[in-house]
């Protein structure tokens, strides 16, 4: 548990990474064999990591900041050692056990405490709790910690607004010459402000400025979304509760799965849930699993997300084509999708044949409706029926065209090299098929088709 009363998740840790290589390198270090010594007390997490030299790197993290310190020469913030240590701490409690901090950790924590006490007398109690044995208990203390974090995020959002204003004043044409460094520094400032969601979006600005032709329009679109998110958080008290939950999630405030299931406003949905797709993604030693489901009675879409590490198994394994009679609790938001699995009322059973769906126009309408509620949404799960895959020619993207030839959806260009597209074309043979996937602003990502049993793409 951190001083905000929340236990960090692996996705929370990975959101702090300055770039994709750091995420992968940190994941590789999230193994006990890399750390001859680790420990935690209160909000402090520390460890000695084996390096290329004879002396291990000293790594310490204050999760209440968060703040990081490592003796390695890396200029990235946080470095791969801090990420690996946090992933191990978040993934398995036994991997990083409680204990008294060594002298070098105490020295750094004491220096941080002294600096913080000079900033604002009102934060002195919070600062003391960071390096102590435990944060203050009770609902009132939790409210104070949450309010303090909200103030920090608001300060970060205000700073980010100034950065965007400076960019627009100097002109977008100068952005491609700045490189990634300037944006990495801004992202690090958002990490300091305890807003990992804002940090992740800022890093996307660096990618947009180097994304090829027409990059200024993509950069402007990303800046607009960040500006919208900044303003939404700064005025969050005036937002409807569901939209306020979405904004909190987007800036990086997490909700514990147990709170989703047992919260005062929780309303579980019982249905026979068809497993539409299951996808595992590996980043070093960390694996994320996404399971998409559709309610047979309600027609609602759901996404179950879990993570695994060296000492932590994935929560749920449901092969495509099974039907699960269970309760699902949706995470709060204006357009809920992610869920926690509640009570199961029967064992999963296989079914044959595809689920009902719609055409390409219906898919675009579904994504548009979801985007209206959550402007920061990248894609929305949909089932396409009676579509024909059309391979791209001359650099053009693949398409999924309605059987009547009236409309078509482009396939996301990032899928162009996947063998699954040719598997889909072979199953189709030029005839209409049913395809499940995600429809977003980049195009459609196919995940499953039926022949008549489900086939993963």
């Amino acid at each position: 548990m951190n001083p905000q009363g929340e236990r960090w998740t692996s996705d929370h840790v990975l959101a702090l990474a300055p770039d994709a290589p750091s995420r992968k390198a940190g994941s590789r270090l999230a193994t006990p064999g890399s750390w001859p010594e680790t420990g935690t007390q209160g909000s402090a997490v520390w460890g000695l990591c084996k390096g290329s030299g004879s002396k291990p790197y000293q790594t310490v993290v204050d999760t209440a900041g968060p703040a990081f310190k490592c003796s390695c020469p890396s200029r990235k913030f946080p470095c791969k050692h801090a990420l690996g240590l946090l992933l191990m701490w978040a993934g398995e409690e036994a991997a990083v056990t409680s204990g008294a901090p060594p002298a070098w950790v105490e020295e750094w924590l004491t220096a941080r405490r002294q600096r913080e006490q000079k900033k604002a007398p009102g934060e002195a109690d919070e600062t003391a709790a960071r390096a102590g044995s435990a944060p203050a208990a009770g609902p009132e203390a939790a409210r104070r910690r949450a309010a303090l974090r909200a103030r920090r995020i608001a300060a970060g959002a205000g700073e980010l607004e100034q950065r965007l204003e400076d960019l627009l004043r100097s002109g977008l044409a100068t952005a491609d010459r700045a490189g990634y460094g300037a944006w990495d520094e801004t992202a690090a400032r958002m990490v300091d402000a305890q807003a990992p969601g804002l940090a992740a979006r800022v890093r996307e600005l660096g990618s947009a400025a180097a994304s090829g032709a027409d990059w200024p329009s993509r950069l402007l679109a990303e800046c607009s979304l960040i500006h919208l998110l900044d303003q939404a958080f700064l005025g969050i008290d005036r937002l409807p509760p569901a939209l306020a939950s979405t904004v909190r999630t987007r800036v990086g405030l997490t909700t514990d799965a147990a709170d989703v299931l047992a919260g005062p406003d929780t309303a579980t949905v019982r249905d026979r849930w068809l497993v539409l797709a299951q996808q595992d993604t590996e980043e070093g030693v960390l694996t994320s699993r996404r399971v998409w489901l559709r309610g047979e009675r309600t027609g609602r879409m759901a996404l179950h997300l879990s993570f695994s590490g060296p000492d932590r198994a994935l929560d749920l394994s449901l092969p495509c084509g099974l039907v699960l009679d269970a309760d699902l609790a949706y995470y709060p938001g204006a357009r809920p999708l992610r869920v926690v699995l509640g009570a199961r009322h029967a064992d999963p059973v296989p079914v044959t044949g595809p689920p009902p769906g719609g055409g390409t126009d219906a898919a675009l309408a579904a994504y548009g409706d979801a985007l209206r509620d959550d402007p920061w949404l990248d894609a929305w799960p949909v089932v396409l029926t009676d579509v024909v895959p059309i391979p791209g020619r001359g650099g053009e993207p693949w398409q999924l065209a309605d059987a009547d030839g009236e409309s078509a959806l482009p396939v996301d260009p990032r899928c162009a090299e996947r063998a699954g597209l040719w598997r889909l074309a072979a199953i189709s043979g030029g005839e209409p098929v049913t395809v499940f996937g995600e429809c977003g602003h980049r195009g459609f990502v196919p995940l499953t088709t039926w022949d008549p049993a489900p086939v993963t793409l």
Side-chain angles (χ1 to χ4, degrees), residues 376-388:
W376 307 278
L377 192 66
D378 284 331
W380 187 256
V382 295
V383 177
L384 296 176
T385 56
D386 294 331
V387 291
V388 180

Side-chain angles (χ1 to χ4, degrees), residues 279-334:
Q279 186 180 68
D280 292 353
T281 303
E282 294 185 1
E283 290 193 18
V285 297
L286 191 71
T287 301
S288 63
R289 171 169 292 167
R290 289 171 171 81
V291 179
W292 288 267
L293 307 106
R294 180 186 182 276
E296 185 179 271
R297 175 181 56 83
T298 61
R300 293 187 66 172
M301 292 292 186
L303 172 64
H304 185 278
L305 178 63
S306 61
F307 295 88
S308 74
D311 302 305
R312 181 182 180 184
L314 287 161
D315 293 343
L316 184 68
S317 179
L318 288 174
C320 187
L322 293 180
V323 167
L324 179 67
D325 184 358
D327 297 333
L328 297 184
Y330 283 83
Y331 280 75

Side-chain angles (χ1 to χ4, degrees), residues 10-80:
S10 297
D11 51 339
H12 186 163
V13 175
L14 292 175
L16 303 175
D19 49 37
S22 295
R23 285 193 291 272
K24 292 183 179 180
S27 297
R28 287 195 293 268
L29 289 174
T31 58
S34 301
W35 300 85
E37 179 183 324
T38 60
T40 181
Q41 185 183 82
S43 64
V45 186
W46 65 87
L48 298 177
C49 185
K50 296 177 182 177
S52 55
S54 58
K55 188 176 180 180
Y57 295 125
Q58 295 178 337
T59 307
V60 56
V61 180
D62 182 356
T63 60
F68 314 89
K69 173 70 175 178
C70 187
S71 60
C72 75
S74 173
R75 294 185 178 182
K76 293 185 177 182
F77 181 81
C79 69
K80 63 182 181 181

